[in-house]
mmCIF file of all heavy atoms in Angstrom:
data_model
loop_
_atom_site.group_PDB
_atom_site.id
_atom_site.type_symbol
_atom_site.label_atom_id
_atom_site.label_comp_id
_atom_site.label_asym_id
_atom_site.label_seq_id
_atom_site.Cartn_x
_atom_site.Cartn_y
_atom_site.Cartn_z
ATOM 1 N N LEU Y 713 91.633 216.197 164.412
ATOM 2 C CA LEU Y 713 91.808 216.256 162.993
ATOM 3 C C LEU Y 713 90.473 216.033 162.318
ATOM 4 O O LEU Y 713 89.444 215.702 163.009
ATOM 5 C CB LEU Y 713 92.684 215.059 162.527
ATOM 6 C CG LEU Y 713 94.170 215.071 163.004
ATOM 7 C CD1 LEU Y 713 94.778 213.712 162.585
ATOM 8 C CD2 LEU Y 713 94.785 216.160 162.372
ATOM 9 N N LYS Y 714 90.349 216.342 160.977
ATOM 10 C CA LYS Y 714 89.221 215.980 160.252
ATOM 11 C C LYS Y 714 89.618 215.466 158.916
ATOM 12 O O LYS Y 714 90.774 215.468 158.545
ATOM 13 C CB LYS Y 714 88.275 217.205 160.152
ATOM 14 C CG LYS Y 714 88.819 218.381 159.314
ATOM 15 C CD LYS Y 714 87.788 219.478 159.287
ATOM 16 C CE LYS Y 714 88.423 220.772 158.697
ATOM 17 N NZ LYS Y 714 87.497 221.859 158.738
ATOM 18 N N ASP Y 715 88.580 215.081 158.063
ATOM 19 C CA ASP Y 715 88.814 214.587 156.737
ATOM 20 C C ASP Y 715 89.617 213.229 156.701
ATOM 21 O O ASP Y 715 90.465 213.124 155.744
ATOM 22 C CB ASP Y 715 89.479 215.633 155.846
ATOM 23 C CG ASP Y 715 88.773 216.907 155.873
ATOM 24 O OD1 ASP Y 715 87.474 216.928 156.003
ATOM 25 O OD2 ASP Y 715 89.414 217.992 155.812
ATOM 26 N N VAL Y 716 89.409 212.385 157.705
ATOM 27 C CA VAL Y 716 90.236 211.217 157.831
ATOM 28 C C VAL Y 716 89.413 210.055 157.287
ATOM 29 O O VAL Y 716 88.244 209.744 157.724
ATOM 30 C CB VAL Y 716 90.637 210.955 159.264
ATOM 31 C CG1 VAL Y 716 91.382 209.643 159.408
ATOM 32 C CG2 VAL Y 716 91.451 212.107 159.842
ATOM 33 N N ALA Y 717 90.098 209.121 156.482
ATOM 34 C CA ALA Y 717 89.571 207.825 156.267
ATOM 35 C C ALA Y 717 90.837 206.845 156.106
ATOM 36 O O ALA Y 717 91.867 207.282 155.590
ATOM 37 C CB ALA Y 717 88.819 207.759 154.968
ATOM 38 N N TYR Y 718 90.605 205.651 156.593
ATOM 39 C CA TYR Y 718 91.749 204.662 156.503
ATOM 40 C C TYR Y 718 91.442 203.602 155.487
ATOM 41 O O TYR Y 718 90.328 203.104 155.481
ATOM 42 C CB TYR Y 718 92.236 204.134 157.860
ATOM 43 C CG TYR Y 718 91.266 203.433 158.740
ATOM 44 C CD1 TYR Y 718 91.194 202.017 158.684
ATOM 45 C CD2 TYR Y 718 90.375 204.112 159.577
ATOM 46 C CE1 TYR Y 718 90.341 201.254 159.544
ATOM 47 C CE2 TYR Y 718 89.527 203.377 160.425
ATOM 48 C CZ TYR Y 718 89.432 202.022 160.402
ATOM 49 O OH TYR Y 718 88.583 201.308 161.133
ATOM 50 N N GLN Y 719 92.423 203.172 154.749
ATOM 51 C CA GLN Y 719 92.268 202.139 153.679
ATOM 52 C C GLN Y 719 93.280 201.061 154.004
ATOM 53 O O GLN Y 719 94.421 201.339 154.334
ATOM 54 C CB GLN Y 719 92.710 202.687 152.323
ATOM 55 C CG GLN Y 719 91.706 203.439 151.567
ATOM 56 C CD GLN Y 719 92.161 203.832 150.115
ATOM 57 O OE1 GLN Y 719 93.204 203.454 149.649
ATOM 58 N NE2 GLN Y 719 91.282 204.389 149.440
ATOM 59 N N SER Y 720 92.828 199.875 153.903
ATOM 60 C CA SER Y 720 93.801 198.736 154.108
ATOM 61 C C SER Y 720 93.248 197.483 153.404
ATOM 62 O O SER Y 720 92.127 197.487 152.782
ATOM 63 C CB SER Y 720 93.990 198.458 155.524
ATOM 64 O OG SER Y 720 95.072 197.488 155.732
ATOM 65 N N ASN Y 721 94.002 196.420 153.583
ATOM 66 C CA ASN Y 721 93.584 195.037 153.066
ATOM 67 C C ASN Y 721 93.357 194.266 154.342
ATOM 68 O O ASN Y 721 94.082 194.350 155.285
ATOM 69 C CB ASN Y 721 94.817 194.483 152.292
ATOM 70 C CG ASN Y 721 94.681 193.002 152.183
ATOM 71 O OD1 ASN Y 721 94.835 192.275 153.048
ATOM 72 N ND2 ASN Y 721 94.516 192.624 150.844
ATOM 73 N N SER Y 722 92.193 193.561 154.371
ATOM 74 C CA SER Y 722 91.830 192.894 155.573
ATOM 75 C C SER Y 722 92.884 192.048 156.280
ATOM 76 O O SER Y 722 93.075 192.190 157.543
ATOM 77 C CB SER Y 722 90.613 191.869 155.309
ATOM 78 O OG SER Y 722 89.553 192.724 154.894
ATOM 79 N N GLN Y 723 93.674 191.191 155.519
ATOM 80 C CA GLN Y 723 94.630 190.342 156.118
ATOM 81 C C GLN Y 723 95.799 191.251 156.687
ATOM 82 O O GLN Y 723 96.258 191.018 157.813
ATOM 83 C CB GLN Y 723 95.181 189.339 155.166
ATOM 84 C CG GLN Y 723 96.103 188.324 155.832
ATOM 85 C CD GLN Y 723 96.713 187.421 154.684
ATOM 86 O OE1 GLN Y 723 96.625 187.646 153.567
ATOM 87 N NE2 GLN Y 723 97.380 186.400 155.164
ATOM 88 N N GLU Y 724 96.237 192.186 155.833
ATOM 89 C CA GLU Y 724 97.407 193.084 156.341
ATOM 90 C C GLU Y 724 96.974 193.845 157.540
ATOM 91 O O GLU Y 724 97.753 194.049 158.472
ATOM 92 C CB GLU Y 724 97.721 194.118 155.216
ATOM 93 C CG GLU Y 724 98.510 193.572 154.135
ATOM 94 C CD GLU Y 724 98.690 194.538 152.953
ATOM 95 O OE1 GLU Y 724 98.574 195.717 153.213
ATOM 96 O OE2 GLU Y 724 98.917 194.011 151.809
ATOM 97 N N PHE Y 725 95.659 194.384 157.555
ATOM 98 C CA PHE Y 725 95.195 195.137 158.657
ATOM 99 C C PHE Y 725 95.296 194.345 160.060
ATOM 100 O O PHE Y 725 95.915 194.753 160.999
ATOM 101 C CB PHE Y 725 93.813 195.616 158.404
ATOM 102 C CG PHE Y 725 93.170 196.415 159.519
ATOM 103 C CD1 PHE Y 725 93.446 197.676 159.726
ATOM 104 C CD2 PHE Y 725 92.295 195.666 160.418
ATOM 105 C CE1 PHE Y 725 92.906 198.364 160.832
ATOM 106 C CE2 PHE Y 725 91.663 196.412 161.438
ATOM 107 C CZ PHE Y 725 91.930 197.715 161.670
ATOM 108 N N TRP Y 726 94.717 193.132 159.971
ATOM 109 C CA TRP Y 726 94.698 192.328 161.216
ATOM 110 C C TRP Y 726 96.020 191.910 161.608
ATOM 111 O O TRP Y 726 96.403 191.752 162.779
ATOM 112 C CB TRP Y 726 93.703 191.179 161.100
ATOM 113 C CG TRP Y 726 92.318 191.821 161.140
ATOM 114 C CD1 TRP Y 726 91.345 191.924 160.042
ATOM 115 C CD2 TRP Y 726 91.603 192.263 162.268
ATOM 116 N NE1 TRP Y 726 90.294 192.535 160.508
ATOM 117 C CE2 TRP Y 726 90.349 192.785 161.887
ATOM 118 C CE3 TRP Y 726 91.972 192.397 163.618
ATOM 119 C CZ2 TRP Y 726 89.441 193.312 162.744
ATOM 120 C CZ3 TRP Y 726 91.103 192.958 164.417
ATOM 121 C CH2 TRP Y 726 89.877 193.371 164.085
#
Side-chain angles (χ1 to χ4, degrees):
Chain Y
L713 293 172
K714 64 179 174 186
D715 309 325
V716 176
Y718 59 97
Q719 277 189 359
S720 189
N721 163 291
S722 296
Q723 189 186 10
E724 281 171 24
F725 175 80
W726 287 104

